[in-house]
Amino acid sequence: MLAGVYYFPTDYGIDISELARALEERGYDALFVCEHTHIPKSRRTPFPGGGELPKKYKHTHDPFVALSFAAAATRSLKLGTGIALIPQREPIVTAKSVASLDQMSNGRFIFAIGGGWNVDEMENHGARYETRFKLLRERVLAMKALWTQEEAQFHGEFVNFDPVWMYPKPKQRPHPPVLIGGESDHTIKRVVEFGDGWFPRPRKGWEPKNAVARLNEAAKAAGRDPASLPITVFAAPADREKLVPYREAGIHRVLFEVPDVSRDEILRIIDKNAPLVAELAAER
């Protein structure tokens, strides 16, 4: 089982290039970065975690810019969005960013995506909470067309364009894997319809064996090979015993948190977890 990390790449945090190099040197598989374009001052949408919204949500760098610096500082580390908020991202520009980063990183990009939770944030981008997943679906399908077709076009309810040329194409073929975030049965339906993997969080009651069985059942019903839909678990516990069920269930990758603390504290944390990362990789 592979092990990487996720991190909010803030303007006051550890330099993303230094973090990426440190992870690669210690044998971590991947670095995924979180995204919020902005946070509306109204705070009309409650924070799902309860209480005050953490400072880091207001201070994140653009994920593609941050990952470009991480890519330039490394050679083998996988680079992911965790998650990119697709209802807030124009699809042609985003498709270009994905393809460019994948080319320049020599095919190391992983595109984990989601619909988002902050209603007023997405409304500032012209998206509506009630239709965000319909919008997400069309934008993903449109981006896949742009990545794979020489003269791409798309005609939907939310996305509409006549034949276009868009280069570069991604380094990975047919394109970087699109992992879809969420835990619900609706999420699993999206994964098997237009995704390339699942990106769940281990929320209360989430059990790896049952989760894998749910995805496998849905994949087979849709005529897809379950092996083509790997699972990367966001915010997995960095605990050897707690990860045993993940490994036994066949989870592909787990992501540990890099918290919003000082540079030195972050380096101590990734040093502490490095033996566990190596052990998990050796058990594959």
Side-chain angles (χ1 to χ4, degrees):
M1 186 166 63
L2 300 172
V5 304
Y6 72 93
Y7 178 61
F8 279 77
T10 67
D11 57 350
Y12 60 82
I14 187 173
D15 179 87
I16 196 74
S17 299
E18 181 180 13
L19 175 60
R21 283 193 299 270
L23 291 167
E24 185 169 86
E25 289 167 358
R26 290 157 177 78
Y28 286 78
D29 168 67
L31 166 62
F32 282 68
V33 299
C34 307
E35 174 178 41
H36 279 279
T37 57
H38 68 292
I39 297 296
K41 185 178 178 181
S42 69
R43 296 298 306 116
R44 176 161 52 93
T45 309
F47 177 48
E52 291 297 316
L53 185 75
K55 176 183 176 182
K56 60 188 178 184
Y57 281 77
K58 300 191 288 286
H59 286 262
T60 54
H61 287 297
D62 176 89
F64 291 99
V65 174
L67 289 173
S68 294
F69 277 78
T74 55
R75 292 292 176 267
S76 60
L77 188 72
K78 299 293 192 307
L79 309 158
T81 49
I83 58 174
L85 299 170
I86 299 305
Q88 301 179 189
R89 288 192 153 272
E90 195 279 331
I92 298 175
V93 172
T94 304
K96 171 79 80 172
S97 296
V98 168
S100 298
L101 178 55
D102 195 56
Q103 274 279 348
M104 292 179 176
S105 67
N106 197 30
R108 290 187 279 145
F109 182 62
I110 301 170
F111 196 27
I113 66 169
W117 57 267
N118 194 322
V119 177
D120 26 342
E121 180 183 356
M122 66 183 72
E123 286 179 351
N124 286 347
H125 288 277
R128 294 182 56 81
Y129 185 82
E130 297 79 9
T131 57
R132 70 194 188 284
F133 285 112
K134 291 182 180 180
L135 177 61
L136 177 147
R137 176 183 178 275
E138 286 195 10
R139 287 183 171 177
V140 170
L141 294 176
M143 287 189 285
K144 287 193 173 189
L146 290 163
W147 294 326
T148 60
Q149 299 172 18
E150 293 303 309
E151 296 183 355
Q153 61 180 303
F154 193 89
H155 302 286
E157 179 182 354
F158 301 97
V159 181
N160 187 58
F161 55 85
D162 290 327
V164 301
W165 295 309
M166 194 212 75
Y167 299 94
K169 301 300 184 188
K171 175 78 171 180
Q172 298 178 76
R173 293 288 187 264
H175 50 72
V178 178
L179 312 185
I180 300 178
E183 298 76 44
S184 70
D185 289 338
H186 292 294
T187 300
I188 290 177
K189 289 178 182 178
R190 296 180 192 110
V191 171
V192 301
E193 182 195 355
F194 58 88
D196 306 299
W198 188 17
F199 198 71
R201 298 159 293 184
R203 293 195 159 181
K204 185 176 181 180
W206 193 88
E207 200 279 321
K209 183 177 180 181
N210 290 341
V212 171
R214 288 167 61 207
L215 179 61
N216 289 352
E217 182 179 351
K220 291 174 183 177
R224 295 196 63 178
D225 179 4
S228 71
L229 298 170
I231 300 174
T232 292
V233 178
F234 181 90
D239 181 288
R240 183 176 289 98
E241 293 305 314
K242 290 181 180 178
L243 288 174
V244 169
Y246 289 67
R247 179 175 51 79
E248 292 178 345
I251 299 295
H252 176 64
R253 178 188 291 110
V254 291
L255 300 180
F256 306 143
E257 180 186 19
V258 171
D260 184 24
V261 293
S262 72
R263 167 195 176 273
D264 291 347
E265 289 175 286
I266 286 173
L267 294 177
R268 281 195 291 270
I269 289 168
I270 64 174
D271 277 338
K272 177 185 174 183
N273 290 334
L276 174 59
V277 170
E279 183 178 319
L280 294 172
E283 293 174 348
R284 293 185 70 207

